[in-house]
Amino acid sequence: MKIGLYYGSETGNSEMLCEDIEADLGEGFDCHISSLADVDPGALDKDTFYIFVTSTYGNGDLPSTALPFEEALTSTKPDLSGIRFAMFGLGDQVFAETFNHGSLKLSEMLIAHKAEMVGERGLHDASGFEMPEDIALPWVQGVMEQVQAAKAA
């Protein structure tokens, strides 16, 4: 199964988490990691399952590496029917009003263009004691179980 691991980041944490997810998924998956800065939303492939990992920047915005993707979604308005994805957000509860709004914003934009989100958004809180991978890896396993079950049905 093809998996696109796409990240939006200011500091590189989302990219590192994508690498951890790829390693945890193992060899049964054909994974590709890319910055959202390098992704054309109109080129998303229905035969690939996408896992987006993004932080939140500023006042609940997407990080700079995700802005080209956001701009392309807004300007080209692609029809993403048939595209399935999962969303994981990195945030900090210290900023309670905008906690994980980057991942919320991105998931809402994808859904507005008719993509289908699988599972709930995974959320990490940097002010907690757990490392991002401690939350993300079990979350990804749950999402992949849902994807595999849907494929078998």
Side-chain angles (χ1 to χ4, degrees):
M1 171 185 257
K2 294 190 322 188
I3 306 286
L5 294 160
Y6 292 166
Y7 63 88
S9 187
E10 288 291 332
T11 62
N13 289 335
S14 295
E15 179 179 9
M16 288 187 291
L17 186 54
C18 283
E19 292 168 357
D20 291 339
I21 291 169
E22 177 184 33
D24 189 65
L25 284 172
E27 295 185 19
F29 297 93
D30 178 14
C31 295
H32 172 74
I33 298 174
S34 186
S35 168
L36 281 169
D38 302 323
V39 175
D40 172 8
L44 296 179
D45 176 18
K46 293 175 183 164
D47 294 328
T48 301
F49 182 75
Y50 296 95
I51 300 172
F52 292 88
V53 178
T54 188
S55 60
T56 299
Y57 183 73
N59 293 318
D61 298 316
L62 289 168
S64 60
T65 60
L67 294 179
F69 187 84
E70 177 185 25
E71 291 167 10
L73 271 175
T74 303
S75 64
T76 64
K77 298 177 181 30
D79 179 355
L80 300 179
S81 298
I83 301 298
R84 300 180 75 213
F85 74 95
M87 183 69 62
F88 193 86
L90 298 171
D92 191 329
Q93 274 288 13
V94 169
F95 307 101
E97 289 184 26
T98 59
F99 176 66
N100 264 304
H101 278 210
S103 62
L104 175 63
K105 182 177 186 177
L106 184 56
S107 61
E108 287 176 345
M109 291 176 68
L110 291 165
I111 291 167
H113 288 86
K114 300 182 183 164
E116 177 190 349
M117 187 163 90
V118 175
E120 298 291 322
R121 261 185 323 135
L123 303 175
H124 177 259
D125 178 9
S127 61
F129 294 106
E130 295 177 291
M131 297 297 292
E133 60 272 18
D134 295 338
I135 304 296
L137 298 182
W139 169 83
V140 166
Q141 291 302 324
V143 166
M144 295 312 298
E145 287 172 11
Q146 291 180 50
V147 169
Q148 298 289 12
K151 196 174 185 181

